[in-house]
Amino acid sequence: MSDNNGAHGQTGATTDSSLEGRAKARKKNGRWWLGAIIGVIVAIAIIVGVNIAKPKSSTNPNVVGDGSATSGNAADTVTIGLKLAPTNLDIRNTSGSALDQVLIGNVYEGLVARDENNQVVPSIAKSWDESKDGLTYTFHLNENMTFSNGDALTAEDVAWSINELIKNQYHDADSLSMVKSVAADDSANTVTITLKTANSNLLWTLTGRPGLVFDKDAKYDAKTEAIGSGPYTVAKFVTNDSITLKANPKYWGTHKAKTENVVIKYLADDNAAVNALKSGTVQVLAPITENLASPFVSDGEHYTVKAGDDTDKYVMAFNSKGKNTSDKRVRQAIRYAINHDELIASRGGADKALGGPIPSLDPGYEDLTGLYPYDLDKAKALMAEAGYSESKPLTLTLTYANIYGTELGDQLRSQLAKIGIDLKVNVVEFSTWLQDVYTNKDYDISLVDHNESHDFYQWADPTYYYNYDNKDVQQLYAQAIAATSDDERDELLAKAAKLVSEDAPADWLFNYRVTTVWANGVSGFPVNLNQTLLPLYDVTYTK
């Protein structure tokens, strides 16, 4: 998200920067495991759940097109319509997933990278070794790497980039709070990162901004220019309008750009975006809203519509210290009373049911939807135990930001009325939600889309706005972070997540999935995670 926009083009303080500032304040109180930056993405778009896909890539099932040669002429320019525009290109200082989306993997590269399944893969480092105690990582770099200006990319650049991030507290520096030192050995072409405490999230953290490598000798205006080592360069940047990427002729790696020019056109207005696709002004639109998708769904001859996996979690949190929501029976009853299938169907069917705090693309995921299946009888029995019924209802207030619309609140009010809950829906400005719910924790029930990957730490933080305090969960999370193997980490996180779900401090309404539409003839556009991870080197368009 950019620093003056919400997730999909809202004006005012961005969710990221607002919550991030508060997260930093809490970190100063010594909560070391709050290193990850809080990300809450505000979704206006209600996403259509259609999967009318072209043949999948033989090498990547989550990328559009079959990757094979087709008849027709390959265009030298592909234009892509996105929603959230960055205000500048300074990825070190400006918050917002819009910058990560367009720059990481295209213009800037990291020590390591993520694939479409959110797994860590090589990038500037071709391989790495980890010590048995989990405190030392040695990265072996590729040979003969260069930046787009022709400068050699060396181990010294890598170490300098990470050390500068920590020294100057650039964006996401908090997530490297466990780092003791970063040292380069140019003769061995290696970089060694030494930690104060083991951290099983380190590699994944380095796939984002903390691991980006910059040219220590380059002089340029980072707000309007970019010098990286990726397959593309920034040829033109027009604030809140467009970014033109041009194939980097000095690119060193295997991800050579297949299309000479990629134009990113930012279209905040949904109708304008759809018209741009219909007219051929853009060839891809990500995302598209449900009520505008029908013409493309029905025109399979010319368009393809497909939903991709992401890490967004629509979290309906119950204030664990609230007057009425501190009663576990009430929280459990609410979970049993929610018809998730109905909610998802009303949004088009693309979203996935999610029974706990970890989405399918994150470590520790386990299908927990069976813990609280839709069961009105159980819900009514629990409410009766707590002293409530349809004739003697419990009044609760659901507070959420107006950028989500009113439909979800209306549905939840209707569903909960059946078990003796009179749900008052309080739709407010996002700034009001931040003050009342996030800061003051003055609420019964809240609803927000938490989009950040690897954000389970929220449930291990008793000071977070959930007011959820479970010592067993906190201990399991600390052990997971200190784990020296992925298997051990994942097992501990899964145990912690199950405990959280059983406690019912929230209901995870669904795992929101982003739907993309493209003109047939487009190939290589990533479908999964494309609101935060959008590698474009493989994209082609055959007219």
Side-chain angles (χ1 to χ4, degrees), residues 229-448:
S229 60
Y232 282 101
T233 63
V234 175
K236 187 179 182 183
F237 170 59
V238 181
T239 306
N240 292 322
D241 179 78
S242 64
I243 295 176
T244 301
L245 302 177
K246 190 172 183 63
N248 175 9
K250 296 183 174 68
Y251 179 60
W252 61 273
T254 58
H255 293 162
K256 187 174 174 63
K258 291 185 177 179
T259 300
E260 182 67 19
N261 307 289
V262 175
V263 179
I264 307 295
K265 183 69 177 171
Y266 292 102
L267 301 162
D269 180 82
D270 291 340
N271 289 297
V274 165
N275 289 335
L277 184 62
K278 285 180 179 177
S279 67
T281 304
V282 301
Q283 287 78 53
V284 183
L285 206 55
I288 187 166
T289 57
E290 177 183 10
N291 62 350
L292 298 176
S294 297
F296 305 107
V297 173
S298 59
D299 188 4
E301 182 182 353
H302 298 102
Y303 300 98
T304 298
V305 183
K306 182 170 170 57
D309 292 331
D310 215 314
T311 58
D312 290 60
K313 303 157 290 291
Y314 267 58
V315 180
M316 189 169 88
F318 314 133
N319 188 344
S320 289
K321 292 183 179 177
K323 178 182 177 183
N324 297 301
T325 47
S326 59
D327 189 331
K328 186 176 179 179
R329 296 169 299 184
V330 171
R331 303 197 306 265
Q332 290 179 312
I334 293 172
R335 293 202 66 187
Y336 281 123
I338 293 174
N339 187 332
H340 298 90
D341 290 343
E342 186 179 274
L343 293 179
I344 291 169
S346 73
R347 293 166 56 86
D351 303 320
K352 284 184 177 178
L354 184 63
I358 298 180
S360 61
L361 292 180
D362 274 357
Y365 170 74
E366 180 184 359
D367 184 354
L368 298 175
T369 53
L371 287 179
Y372 290 92
Y374 180 55
D375 191 329
L376 284 180
D377 290 337
K378 278 190 178 180
K380 288 177 180 178
L382 284 162
M383 289 300 291
E385 271 186 49
Y388 303 100
S389 64
E390 285 187 83
S391 60
K392 186 189 174 185
L394 168 64
T395 299
L396 293 173
T397 300
L398 167 64
T399 304
Y400 67 91
N402 56 9
I403 36 71
Y404 297 111
T406 59
E407 186 179 353
L408 268 175
D410 292 342
Q411 288 177 296
L412 291 165
R413 181 195 294 117
S414 174
Q415 290 186 4
L416 297 185
K418 298 173 184 175
I419 65 164
I421 291 179
D422 178 13
L423 190 68
K424 307 296 185 186
V425 179
N426 184 26
V427 180
V428 299
E429 294 289 332
F430 192 73
S431 57
T432 302
W433 181 90
L434 277 171
Q435 186 62 46
D436 293 351
V437 177
Y438 188 82
T439 303
N440 296 337
K441 304 174 192 172
D442 181 15
Y443 72 101
D444 293 328
I445 305 176
S446 166
L447 172 62
V448 78

Side-chain angles (χ1 to χ4, degrees), residues 461-542:
D461 176 9
T463 72
Y464 201 66
Y465 79 90
Y466 303 142
N467 272 328
Y468 178 65
D469 189 355
N470 184 314
K471 298 297 186 291
D472 291 336
V473 169
Q474 292 158 25
Q475 183 178 12
L476 284 167
Y477 181 69
Q479 290 171 346
I481 291 301
T484 55
S485 77
D486 288 352
D487 288 345
E488 182 188 3
R489 174 201 64 192
D490 294 356
E491 183 181 341
L492 289 162
L493 285 173
K495 282 182 181 178
K498 189 173 183 181
L499 281 180
V500 171
S501 186
E502 287 171 346
D503 276 350
D507 188 89
W508 296 268
L509 297 180
F510 43 79
N511 180 187
Y512 162 79
R513 302 175 81 224
V514 173
T515 297
T516 300
V517 59
W518 60 88
N520 291 343
V522 171
S523 180
F525 188 85
V527 175
N528 281 4
L529 296 167
N530 67 25
Q531 297 304 288
T532 52
L533 182 72
L534 191 65
L536 297 170
Y537 61 85
D538 222 17
V539 174
T540 60
Y541 177 49
T542 303

Side-chain angles (χ1 to χ4, degrees), residues 106-310:
N106 293 316
V107 177
Y108 293 114
E109 292 179 306
L111 193 53
V112 287
R114 276 187 289 161
D115 65 12
E116 71 284 350
N117 295 312
N118 212 23
Q119 298 299 304
V120 178
V121 294
S123 182
I124 283 173
K126 61 184 178 183
S127 64
W128 51 89
D129 306 313
E130 181 184 348
S131 63
K132 286 184 179 180
D133 62 8
L135 295 178
T136 306
Y137 289 75
T138 303
F139 295 89
H140 305 275
L141 309 186
N142 287 286
E143 306 289 337
N144 303 315
M145 295 181 290
T146 58
F147 291 102
S148 59
N149 61 0
D151 286 357
L153 191 166
T154 66
E156 192 179 345
D157 290 301
V158 176
W160 174 84
S161 297
I162 300 173
N163 282 323
E164 283 288 293
L165 176 100
I166 296 169
K167 174 186 170 185
N168 297 310
Q169 287 295 292
Y170 292 137
H171 193 277
D172 280 359
D174 285 359
S175 59
L176 293 184
S177 60
M178 82 299 291
V179 171
K180 182 179 180 181
S181 65
V182 184
D185 184 340
D186 277 328
S187 61
N189 204 27
T190 61
V191 170
T192 300
I193 298 181
T194 305
L195 306 183
K196 293 176 277 192
T197 55
N199 190 291
S200 60
N201 277 335
L202 176 69
L203 288 173
W204 189 88
T205 299
L206 292 172
T207 67
R209 297 195 196 193
L212 293 183
V213 177
F214 301 90
D215 182 353
K216 66 182 181 61
D217 299 320
K219 306 295 182 188
Y220 59 99
D221 183 350
K223 290 187 175 182
T224 57
E225 301 171 288
I227 294 177
S229 60
Y232 282 101
T233 63
V234 175
K236 187 179 182 183
F237 170 59
V238 181
T239 306
N240 292 322
D241 179 78
S242 64
I243 295 176
T244 301
L245 302 177
K246 190 172 183 63
N248 175 9
K250 296 183 174 68
Y251 179 60
W252 61 273
T254 58
H255 293 162
K256 187 174 174 63
K258 291 185 177 179
T259 300
E260 182 67 19
N261 307 289
V262 175
V263 179
I264 307 295
K265 183 69 177 171
Y266 292 102
L267 301 162
D269 180 82
D270 291 340
N271 289 297
V274 165
N275 289 335
L277 184 62
K278 285 180 179 177
S279 67
T281 304
V282 301
Q283 287 78 53
V284 183
L285 206 55
I288 187 166
T289 57
E290 177 183 10
N291 62 350
L292 298 176
S294 297
F296 305 107
V297 173
S298 59
D299 188 4
E301 182 182 353
H302 298 102
Y303 300 98
T304 298
V305 183
K306 182 170 170 57
D309 292 331
D310 215 314

